[in-house]
Amino acid sequence: MTFSRLHLSRCLALALCVCAMLAQAQGTLHKVPTREGITTTVFWEAAAQAKGTVLLFPGGGGGFGPVEGGKAQGHNFLVRSATLFVEAGYNVAILGRPSDSSNLDYADRIGEPHLRDVQQVINFVNQQSALPLWLVGTSRGTVSVAATAIRQPRGIAGLVLASSIVNPNKVGSLPQQNLAAIELPVLLLHHRKDACPQCRPAEVPNVLRGLQNAASKKLVMVDGGSNPQGEPCEALHWHGFIGMEAQAVRIITDWLEAPR
């Protein structure tokens, strides 16, 4: 083979490799059967040489927005940070909404239909990868994550609770749930400037104390970011770790590698 043909062959091989990498970087939308006649949307994106999987639970009414170009387009902290988890070596699954609901409210997230949906999604995600699965929730998503860990912890390695709902008077809030029943490792991540009335930073240590039987537990309070916008409970404010997404994801993934 001449040098030019060898060079061309190597270039073609490199191009194929790059194309394969780009293909892997595209996520896919799935509709997972979760109850009779009901499907729940799940966004899935695999990481190259993954070391684990994160199932992300967005806040608000749930969902991850439209999927364009293989990426979920929602503004939620976890949704807009999904690529950062993939780059850190974690497969990403994002929980969407069930076909019989357009809004996951607080009470919905501790109800049996939602928990059945979540368990079926966990089963689906574990079928995609046998690597350890971590549940990561933010804001109202922490209600779902805690309820799941309390009532059906099968197939889960541990939990991350970011911008947790800690108002003791709010239905489904972490203080209202049986935190002592959680035996998995737990990371609490919160912003010191979070001004959402349901997520006051001063009340987060009470959640840490409530996790008395967790295999390990850690609270990280951060104070970074920039340019908060909108209402204090929305995704582009301190509540959503605006301007410090990479740092927040790094804190989470570092803990996943050594949950103590």
Side-chain angles (χ1 to χ4, degrees), residues 158-180:
L159 319 175
V160 177
L161 304 171
S163 302
S164 298
I165 303 297
V166 293
N167 182 345
N169 299 315
K170 195 68 177 176
V171 172
S173 69
L174 300 194
Q176 285 201 4
Q177 297 196 49
N178 182 19
L179 298 178

Side-chain angles (χ1 to χ4, degrees), residues 73-128:
Q73 302 296 313
H75 293 304
N76 180 268
F77 157 60
L78 292 177
V79 177
R80 68 178 191 268
S81 301
T83 298
L84 296 173
F85 284 99
V86 174
E87 291 173 351
Y90 287 86
N91 302 319
V92 166
I94 310 178
L95 179 73
R97 288 188 289 258
S99 56
D100 62 347
S101 175
S102 60
N103 180 63
L104 290 173
D105 207 346
Y106 293 91
D108 297 326
R109 291 177 179 270
I110 57 174
E112 288 301 327
H114 177 61
L115 294 178
R116 286 200 295 272
D117 292 342
V118 171
Q119 186 59 59
Q120 292 304 314
V121 169
I122 288 172
N123 294 343
F124 167 80
V125 173
N126 280 330
Q127 290 169 5
Q128 309 310 302

Side-chain angles (χ1 to χ4, degrees), residues 2-260:
T2 65
F3 174 79
S4 58
R5 289 178 62 190
L6 178 62
H7 182 69
L8 176 60
S9 177
R10 288 176 175 173
C11 287
L12 288 173
L14 178 60
L16 289 173
C17 181
V18 170
C19 288
M21 291 174 64
L22 290 174
Q24 291 176 352
Q26 301 299 305
T28 53
L29 178 65
H30 299 265
K31 293 185 177 181
V32 179
T34 52
R35 286 173 279 135
E36 184 175 358
I38 302 300
T39 60
T40 297
T41 55
V42 178
F43 176 83
W44 168 260
E45 183 171 354
Q49 300 180 331
K51 61 188 78 171
T53 301
V54 290
L55 174 54
L56 309 180
F57 289 69
F64 43 74
V67 175
E68 299 175 1
K71 302 293 181 183
Q73 302 296 313
H75 293 304
N76 180 268
F77 157 60
L78 292 177
V79 177
R80 68 178 191 268
S81 301
T83 298
L84 296 173
F85 284 99
V86 174
E87 291 173 351
Y90 287 86
N91 302 319
V92 166
I94 310 178
L95 179 73
R97 288 188 289 258
S99 56
D100 62 347
S101 175
S102 60
N103 180 63
L104 290 173
D105 207 346
Y106 293 91
D108 297 326
R109 291 177 179 270
I110 57 174
E112 288 301 327
H114 177 61
L115 294 178
R116 286 200 295 272
D117 292 342
V118 171
Q119 186 59 59
Q120 292 304 314
V121 169
I122 288 172
N123 294 343
F124 167 80
V125 173
N126 280 330
Q127 290 169 5
Q128 309 310 302
S129 172
L131 292 169
L133 173 62
W134 304 84
L135 305 191
V136 183
T138 189
S139 192
R140 208 181 300 179
T142 63
V143 175
S144 300
V145 169
T148 299
I150 290 167
R151 294 158 72 173
Q152 47 193 39
R154 301 184 307 277
I156 305 168
L159 319 175
V160 177
L161 304 171
S163 302
S164 298
I165 303 297
V166 293
N167 182 345
N169 299 315
K170 195 68 177 176
V171 172
S173 69
L174 300 194
Q176 285 201 4
Q177 297 196 49
N178 182 19
L179 298 178
I182 297 177
E183 298 180 348
L184 298 165
V186 182
L187 171 66
L188 292 167
L189 177 64
H190 218 87
H191 202 293
R192 293 186 188 278
K193 297 178 182 176
D194 192 332
C196 180
Q198 314 307 332
C199 309
R200 295 186 178 94
E203 298 181 39
V204 179
N206 294 332
V207 173
L208 191 70
R209 285 189 287 271
L211 293 164
Q212 54 189 298
N213 295 313
S216 64
K217 57 184 180 179
K218 183 177 182 179
L219 169 59
V220 178
M221 280 281 184
V222 297
D223 197 17
S226 61
N227 195 30
Q229 304 171 45
E231 297 297 321
C233 291
E234 293 184 353
L236 301 181
H237 213 279
W238 302 124
H239 180 68
F241 304 99
I242 188 67
M244 60 168 298
E245 293 85 353
Q247 180 184 346
V249 170
R250 179 62 182 271
I251 290 170
I252 293 171
T253 56
D254 282 352
W255 181 82
L256 295 183
E257 294 182 21
R260 57 181 182 271

